[in-house]
Amino acid sequence: MKDKQLFVADFFAGCGGLSFGLELAGFHPAYVNELNKDAIESYLINREYEYPYLRDTAFHCNDIKDLVLNKKLLTNTIKELKNQLNIDVKNGDLDLLVGGPPCQGFSGIGHRRSYSVDKEQLPSNHLYEDMAYVVSVLKPKIFLFENVKGLLSAKWNPDGVKGEIWEDVLSTFKNLKDYQVNFSLVRAKDYGVSQNRPRVLLVGIRNDVYKKSESLIKGIVANGFLPSPTFDACDLEDLLGDLVDDNYENGGFTNKYVKPAATTVQKYFRTTVDGKLLAKGSILTEQEYSKHAPNVLTKFKYMHEHDGKIHESMKTKKFAQRVLPAKWDEKGPTITATSLPDDYVHFSQPRTLTVREWARLQGFPDYYRFAGSRTTGGIRRAGNPREGNFSRELPKYTQIGNAVPVFLAKAVGEHFAKIINKANES
């Protein structure tokens, strides 16, 4: 390992969207935490060649509380970070620590499945405290907390005050010693992502780093703690057009690219780790189509033929099902990829999106692999807090939907890298 490499510790990492974007910005993963076995396997299999040490228990854990409550484990991790990666935590060498605690208790979808349980009763809604503790111990130069827009207005219980949870989160991080803290609500579409996807990003910059790089910390987003927007999101037909198989079958799959890459963004997604552009006829993964019932196909076809409208006789309880536009209007992207791919109908075919198309929406290149089942539903995906069941399966669609969009993470990472490198030069 070279001395001047930038390293990041990623907590609640999921399948690795935030980490991957940061890696594109020049960071290297030093530690990963993720509770779900399939999600962390997705994270690890995509890094096992370049970062094999992550398989070592000194560099990953499932439950953050193992690290928080087990002093011996934490001490060993700090020791191995220095021995193997030359990161002297006690000397303030860790560059970046990021985390997005599970947000099902704050998001609109999570609220839909909360079974009327107060948010203060959901253990996952208090994990920000554990993240703050880890920050206080590892003392990174910069830390990033990210979560859903709903966190800003959430209440601990029906009798609470709107926004009280966010006030608790904000005060917890502001009370950390030696950090300047700022935050903003950002939209992924402003950073090259073909989604609206609003996210709350809270940034802490260590005082010594802030003083040395203050000249770079300027801007309209969180007073320069976050990067300025790029406003370069592409249309969906430019993003997904090369994956459209005119001969696809309902419930079938397409295992080879049927078209060459026609746009710059398609070429990006089809470029392998070693720089090879995948041509027509190359192997394509995760392009399996859901098997829709005849009445569903009829509804989708009707929607295509009637400007997205659903006939009264075909309406269901789906809260947001609509046809995706091939091109955005002047407002830009208006969708948010969630754990529910059946909320959206493909822009040119009567079907929902495949795992690979869902992954492209989030910025994952076509070589990125995902562990676990393709999809699941009901209690297995949401748990039942009323019965004390907090376990949740994370099939591929859910892993991808939960991820931080890669291009947003890359923009944030590039901004952080400039700040840290400036401080290192000083």
Side-chain angles (χ1 to χ4, degrees), residues 328-344:
W328 305 114
D329 61 20
E330 64 279 358
K331 295 179 181 179
T334 57
I335 65 169
T336 292
T338 65
S339 60
L340 302 172
D342 49 348
D343 285 345
Y344 302 111

Side-chain angles (χ1 to χ4, degrees), residues 26 71 139 162-163 197 208 251 261 330 407 416:
K71 186 175 181 180
K139 296 180 175 62
K162 187 176 181 180
R197 200 175 183 88
D208 61 311
E330 64 279 358
F407 296 159
F416 289 168

Side-chain angles (χ1 to χ4, degrees), residues 194-336:
S194 296
Q195 298 182 58
N196 181 24
R197 200 175 183 88
R199 306 295 291 187
V200 178
L201 301 184
L202 181 150
V203 180
I205 303 177
R206 209 171 64 202
N207 287 339
D208 61 311
V209 175
Y210 183 87
K211 291 176 183 177
K212 294 176 181 178
S213 57
E214 191 170 3
S215 62
L216 290 179
I217 305 173
K218 298 177 181 178
I220 60 174
V221 184
N223 291 327
F225 279 55
L226 289 165
S228 297
T230 56
F231 302 114
D232 53 355
C234 70
D235 292 323
L236 290 182
E237 65 179 2
D238 291 337
L239 178 70
L240 306 175
D242 62 316
L243 299 179
V244 175
D245 182 354
D246 296 331
N247 298 312
Y248 90 99
E249 296 181 0
N250 182 38
F253 59 90
T254 299
N255 59 9
K256 293 182 180 180
Y257 291 99
V258 294
K259 300 175 182 178
T263 66
T264 299
V265 70
Q266 290 170 13
K267 291 176 182 178
Y268 163 78
F269 281 104
R270 286 169 63 160
T271 299
T272 63
V273 177
D274 56 4
K276 178 183 177 182
L277 177 63
L278 296 175
K280 177 181 177 181
S282 298
I283 298 298
L284 171 62
T285 62
E286 304 290 5
Q287 191 69 357
E288 179 183 349
Y289 308 104
S290 295
K291 189 171 180 59
H292 300 300
N295 63 310
V296 174
L297 288 175
T298 298
K299 178 175 71 171
F300 288 173
K301 290 176 181 177
Y302 182 93
M303 292 171 71
H304 271 289
E305 294 167 356
H306 294 83
D307 196 30
K309 293 182 175 61
I310 303 176
H311 193 277
E312 285 294 329
S313 65
M314 302 176 183
K315 287 186 177 180
T316 64
K317 294 182 179 180
K318 286 295 178 187
F319 78 107
Q321 196 168 62
R322 58 187 172 123
V323 177
L324 293 170
K327 291 183 178 295
W328 305 114
D329 61 20
E330 64 279 358
K331 295 179 181 179
T334 57
I335 65 169
T336 292

Side-chain angles (χ1 to χ4, degrees), residues 104-120:
Q104 63 266 28
F106 307 127
S107 69
I109 292 174
H111 181 68
R112 227 174 17 159
R113 300 177 181 145
S114 65
Y115 299 90
S116 302
V117 172
D118 290 344
K119 292 180 175 61
E120 60 189 350

